Amino acid sequence: MTLAEFLAKLSALEGEAPGRIAGTSSLDEWTVLRNALVGRQAGEFTAIMNELGSLPKEERREAGARANAVKVALEDALEVRRAQLTAKAAESGPKLDLTMPARDRWQGTVHPVSMVIDEVVEIFRELGFTIALGPEAEHAWYNFGALNFPADHPAMDLHDTLYLGADQVLRTHTSPVQVRTLQQYPPPVRILAPGNVYRRDFFDPSHAPMFAQIEGLVVDEGISFADLKATLSHFARRYFGPHTKTRFRPSYFPFTEPSAEMDVQCGVCDGEGCAVCKHSGWIEILGSGMVHPAVLEAAGLDSEKYTGWAFGMGPARTAISRHAIPDIRILYDSDVRFLEQFGR
Ligand code: DAH
C-alpha cells in the first residue's frame, strides 16, 4: 500500500462515518457500529491501521498523525451520538420522580394473644418457672387417661374431641404436658406450658376450634393449696395491677383435687357490674387445683412424697376481657386493621 492509498482510505472512512453514526437509532445499534468502526478485533479503522507497518519508514510519521486525527474525530462523533441516544432512552423509559415520598415500611405487630402469653410467661419467669412444650398431636392416654379422666368421660366423646386415630387426638388442652414433664424431670418442677389446643367446636362469638392455653405446674415435697393461692394471687396483681382483688370458687377437674377457679374483679367497672363482666363484677381467669395423686402416680411419682398444684388459662379470653373485644373470631380473622391497633 502506498501512502496515498492509505490516506485515501482514512479520508473515505472519515467522510462516511458521521452519516452512519447519526443513523443509529438505539444504544444497541450504536454499540454494533462502534465495534464495526473502531473495535480492536475487526474495526474498519483498525484494519487500516494494520497497514501502517507496510509503509516505508519515512512515510509512517505523516500517516500516523493523520490516522490519529481521524480516530479522534470518530470517537468524538461516537460520544456525541451515545449521549443523544442515552438521553432519548431515559425520556421514553419509566420516569423517576425524585420528589415522591418514600413508601411506608410495613412493620408487623405482636398478636394480642401472643402479647398475653409473653406477659404471663414473663411474670412466672420471675418466680423461677421455665417453659415446657408438648405435641399438639397427642396420645389419648396423655390427654385423658393419665389425667384421671374416667373411661366414660363426655370430653372423650367424638362430639368434643378431634381424633386422628384410635389412640391419637389433637390435644384438647395443654394439661398433658404436665405428665410428659413429670416423666422427664424429677421434682422440684416449676413449668409453664403455652400452646395451641383443639376442640370440636364451630366458630361463634365465644368459641373457636383452635385456641391457645397456658398450663402451669408446680410439684415438689410439701407443696400446699396455700402455695397455689399465693402464687396465683401474686400473678393477678402483677398482671392486672397491685390492687386487683381475686376470689377462688370451688370447681371440678378430673386431674385436680380440690379444684378452684380464680376470678379477678372486673377492671372495667371495678366490680360494679358492666357488659364486660356480664354484670357480675368478676371475670373468670383460670382453672386450678392440687394435682390429683392419680396424675402423679401415672407420671411415675410417689404421691405420698410429692404434692403439687396446677392451673390452666386461656389467653384469648384474657385478651378479650382486657381489650373489651366483642367477638373471639376477630382474633383469628387476621384483619390487619384490627391487629395493627395492638402494635408495640
Ligand atoms: N385443662 C383444663 C381445660 O382445658 C384447664 C385446667 C384447669 C388446667 C385446672 C389445669 C387445672 O392445670 O389445674 O379446661
Side-chain angles (χ1 to χ4, degrees), residues 172-175 178 197 199 211 213-216 253 255-256 259-260 286-290 309-313:
T172 60
H173 52 179
T174 44
S175 301
Q178 290 189 25
V197 305
R199 302 260 170 103
F211 54 95
Q213 277 193 342
I214 306 175
E215 191 82 12
F253 301 102
F255 38 90
T256 48
S259 306
L286 53 81
S288 66
M290 299 304 291
W309 61 271
F311 76 92
M313 66 179 284

Side-chain angles (χ1 to χ4, degrees), residues 24 35 40 61 90 184 222 231 272-273 280 282 288 299:
T24 56
N35 291 336
R40 260 177 234 268
R61 181 184 251 281
Q184 215 175 337
T231 310
E272 294 290 316
S280 71
W282 297 91
S288 66

Side-chain angles (χ1 to χ4, degrees), residues 271-302:
E272 294 290 316
C274 68
V276 172
C277 60
K278 301 200 183 86
H279 304 284
S280 71
W282 297 91
I283 290 174
E284 184 199 318
I285 292 300
L286 53 81
S288 66
M290 299 304 291
V291 179
H292 197 291
V295 176
L296 296 172
E297 297 287 341
L301 290 184
D302 180 354

Side-chain angles (χ1 to χ4, degrees), residues 81-329:
R81 187 61 185 152
R82 193 191 63 79
Q84 288 170 345
L85 290 172
T86 305
K88 199 178 106 187
E91 231 171 73
S92 59
K95 296 198 180 38
L96 273 186
D97 178 359
L98 297 178
T99 67
M100 212 161 90
R103 204 174 288 174
D104 241 4
R105 187 163 53 108
W106 164 248
Q107 183 141 34
T109 59
V110 179
H111 191 278
V113 172
S114 302
M115 246 160 78
V116 174
I117 294 174
D118 291 349
E119 289 164 10
V120 171
V121 164
E122 190 49 40
I123 291 171
F124 280 92
R125 204 207 312 274
E126 292 170 359
L127 301 176
F129 285 65
T130 53
I131 300 296
L133 299 175
E136 293 181 15
E138 182 58 284
H139 198 285
W141 183 78
Y142 280 103
N143 197 79
F144 297 121
L147 293 168
N148 198 39
F149 281 67
D152 56 354
H153 194 284
M156 293 159 68
D157 200 302
L158 283 171
H159 288 290
D160 297 314
T161 299
L162 291 155
Y163 279 83
L164 299 173
D167 306 319
Q168 203 76 8
V169 300
L170 285 176
R171 69 179 178 190
T172 60
H173 52 179
T174 44
S175 301
V177 184
Q178 290 189 25
V179 181
R180 287 188 174 273
T181 304
L182 292 176
Q183 282 181 331
Q184 215 175 337
Y185 302 100
V189 163
R190 268 175 302 187
I191 56 112
L192 226 53
N196 287 330
V197 305
Y198 302 82
R199 302 260 170 103
R200 201 160 173 145
D201 269 325
F202 289 105
F203 271 114
D204 73 23
S206 52
H207 292 91
M210 185 200 84
F211 54 95
Q213 277 193 342
I214 306 175
E215 191 82 12
L217 173 70
V218 174
V219 173
D220 199 358
E221 291 180 44
I223 298 291
S224 73
F225 197 87
D227 297 308
L228 177 160
K229 250 189 114 169
T231 310
L232 293 179
S233 302
H234 166 83
F235 159 71
R237 287 191 298 270
R238 281 282 281 106
Y239 190 83
F240 295 100
H243 304 296
T244 303
K245 290 208 176 81
T246 52
R247 74 177 183 189
F248 289 81
R249 280 180 292 104
S251 184
Y252 171 79
F253 301 102
F255 38 90
T256 48
E257 180 59 32
S259 306
E261 278 165 310
M262 184 176 83
D263 300 340
V264 298
Q265 201 170 58
C266 179
V268 175
C269 62
D270 278 334
E272 294 290 316
C274 68
V276 172
C277 60
K278 301 200 183 86
H279 304 284
S280 71
W282 297 91
I283 290 174
E284 184 199 318
I285 292 300
L286 53 81
S288 66
M290 299 304 291
V291 179
H292 197 291
V295 176
L296 296 172
E297 297 287 341
L301 290 184
D302 180 354
S303 63
E304 295 291 333
K305 186 174 174 195
Y306 295 110
T307 50
W309 61 271
F311 76 92
M313 66 179 284
R317 290 278 188 86
T318 310
I320 276 178
S321 58
R322 183 192 201 184
H323 302 293
I325 295 167
D327 189 322
I328 198 169
R329 288 171 292 191

